[in-house]
Amino acid sequence: MTDLHPVRRALLSVSDKTGLIELGQALSERGVELLSTGGSAKALRDAGLTVKDVSDVTGFPEMMDGRVKTLHPGVHGGLLALRDNDAHVAAMKEHDIVEIDLLVVNLYPFEATVAKGADYDTCIENIDIGGPAMIRAAAKNHGFVNVVVDVEDYATLLAELDQNDGATSSRFRKELSQKAYARTAAYDSAVSNWMANALELAAPKRRAFAGDLKQTLRYGENSHQSAAFYTDGSNRPGVATAVQLQGKELSYNNINDTDAAYELVAEFDPAETAAVAIIKHANPCGVAVGNDLLDVYNRAFNADSLSAFGGIIAFNRTCTPAVAEAITTVFVEIVLAPSFDVEALEIFKKKKNLRILEIGAFGKRVAKLEVRN
């Protein structure tokens, strides 16, 4: 018995329409019938594709400003029915439910809406209901159904179809299912944590955590340990949002020390004083404040120049050429600052392995939630 199942019908309903037209065209060329909703259906039709509205499948129009459109047995039956179960097949036939072999959904941009500082009601309207329900249904029935929640998986899906003559393998569907459940978990985490913050609940009864993989790491704190770096999608300044301008990839210890360096130097308002922090193994080697950045750097470095060897240097103001010249005379791993003068960056290029991280404007600091495991 083969684990391959053909894809004959797809439901496409996406908020982020990146690559939607190309995916719709590729599926249509492979003989896949397209179902869609609202703006996704319009975009596909405008591109000349034949699309069937979900409302034609459910027998109900989209209503309540789009809050209700896919929450119907005509959709969920098509996603959840076991194709090898006679009772399920009979129920589909009795109720005119069609099989849906592929679900392509990405959710309302709740995280992005929160990050923009939208008001409470706007955030509420950007909580997706039908999308997560369909994703979970399709993911549960991965024995037969494919569910794609990430734009970057469109090409992988098409390659799988080509490799298997229009079908997909069990392993492929399971991998898609895992990604799908991770996405809905992260989405629910974002919503619940936002509501806790909106209600000023410092310690809600349940606290969920989720993140997107930013990079895999060669090893963890020690060489025999594995590690990966995840970000939670928030726009709070720090190592997770920093832009690396040059140097080698960050290691676990680099990330840990850089976070400590940033958190320390960010305690000082750059409008009031220049500040420099030098960190090694998560411990301060030297910290100084003052008016002149070069003088502040020198005082921080000389507090314990031996321990500062191979350390992390963080500034709360723009790094100048004079400071860059001073730094390049010693060995350091990372330099972190809100910004860098162009001349300073040219000077740092002499040390090609030196990692340069640009944070951007510090802005108003907000509380940091720390999780220890």
Side-chain angles (χ1 to χ4, degrees):
M1 179 179 176
T2 181
D3 71 349
L4 296 174
H5 286 285
V7 174
R8 301 189 180 96
R9 185 175 293 107
L11 170 53
L12 286 67
S13 181
V14 295
S15 176
D16 177 3
K17 295 177 176 54
T18 304
L20 173 64
I21 303 306
E22 293 79 5
L23 176 64
Q25 291 170 335
L27 291 173
S28 183
E29 289 168 0
R30 289 163 174 78
V32 178
E33 180 185 2
L34 304 181
L35 309 178
S36 193
T37 62
S40 298
K42 182 180 184 303
L44 292 166
R45 285 199 186 94
D46 289 347
L49 293 167
T50 300
V51 184
K52 187 173 185 179
D53 282 317
V54 164
S55 58
D56 294 331
V57 173
T58 64
F60 282 85
E62 293 185 17
M63 62 182 71
M64 302 175 187
D65 298 319
R67 283 189 169 203
V68 179
K69 51 188 172 186
T70 59
L71 297 169
H72 190 277
V75 172
H76 286 269
L79 294 171
L80 283 165
L82 297 173
R83 279 46 162 173
D84 58 358
N85 183 302
D86 290 342
H88 287 206
V89 173
M92 293 180 73
K93 184 175 182 180
E94 179 183 356
H95 298 288
D96 295 322
I97 295 174
V98 298
E99 296 177 356
I100 299 173
D101 310 303
L102 167 64
L103 175 70
V104 180
V105 170
N106 53 60
L107 305 175
Y108 293 172
F110 177 81
E111 297 100 327
T113 302
V114 172
K116 290 177 182 176
D119 61 33
Y120 187 91
D121 289 342
T122 301
C123 290
I124 290 293
E125 286 307 312
N126 276 276
I127 298 175
D128 204 324
I129 301 301
M134 288 193 294
I135 289 172
R136 292 176 61 83
K140 177 175 181 175
N141 202 24
H142 60 261
F144 305 95
V145 180
N146 305 269
V147 52
V148 177
V149 297
D150 294 313
V151 171
E152 54 265 31
D153 282 333
Y154 292 177
T156 307
L157 167 69
L158 297 175
E160 175 78 3
L161 292 174
D162 290 342
Q163 182 178 334
N164 298 298
D165 195 24
T168 62
S169 66
S170 174
R171 173 73 185 191
F172 180 75
R173 295 189 299 274
K174 287 178 180 178
E175 290 177 353
L176 291 179
S177 177
Q178 185 279 324
K179 290 182 180 180
Y181 280 123
R183 177 64 187 118
T184 56
Y187 199 76
D188 287 340
S189 172
V191 174
S192 66
N193 288 330
W194 166 77
M195 293 199 77
N197 291 336
L199 295 172
E200 298 182 349
L201 300 177
K205 181 178 180 180
R206 294 182 178 87
R207 172 75 76 172
F209 301 96
D212 290 327
L213 180 65
K214 184 168 185 176
Q215 71 180 83
T216 55
L217 304 172
R218 286 186 300 157
Y219 54 85
E221 186 173 6
N222 298 294
S223 60
H224 67 283
Q225 298 169 321
S226 60
F229 185 22
Y230 288 83
T231 60
D232 65 2
S234 65
N235 62 353
R236 183 183 189 273
V239 62
T241 57
V243 177
Q244 185 168 348
L245 302 180
Q246 77 165 49
K248 298 184 295 183
E249 195 172 72
L250 296 174
S251 69
Y252 174 92
N253 290 323
N254 290 153
I255 293 168
N256 195 41
D257 284 356
T258 301
D259 180 65
Y262 170 75
E263 292 301 326
L264 197 163
V265 80
E267 292 290 336
F268 303 96
D269 185 347
E272 296 179 359
T273 185
V276 177
I278 303 176
I279 300 292
K280 182 73 173 289
H281 300 318
N283 293 308
C285 306
V287 181
V289 296
N291 295 320
D292 180 77
L293 195 65
L294 178 59
D295 175 64
V296 172
Y297 163 72
N298 285 328
R299 287 192 286 114
F301 182 79
N302 290 324
D304 188 348
S305 59
L306 183 62
S307 295
F309 182 85
I312 313 294
I313 303 175
F315 299 92
N316 71 343
R317 288 183 179 176
T318 300
C319 183
T320 64
V323 173
E325 287 285 5
I327 291 173
T328 54
T329 63
V330 296
F331 172 64
V332 297
E333 290 277 2
I334 297 169
V335 179
L336 170 75
S339 59
F340 295 82
D341 283 342
V342 174
E343 289 182 51
L345 292 176
E346 289 298 318
I347 294 167
F348 283 135
K349 286 181 180 178
K350 300 174 186 176
K351 302 275 189 175
K352 64 179 182 179
N353 290 329
L354 175 61
R355 302 165 179 90
I356 303 297
L357 298 182
E358 187 173 69
I359 288 287
F362 280 12
K364 182 180 179 181
R365 300 204 66 233
V366 294
K368 178 185 179 184
L369 178 66
E370 291 193 5
V371 182
R372 300 294 177 94
N373 185 8

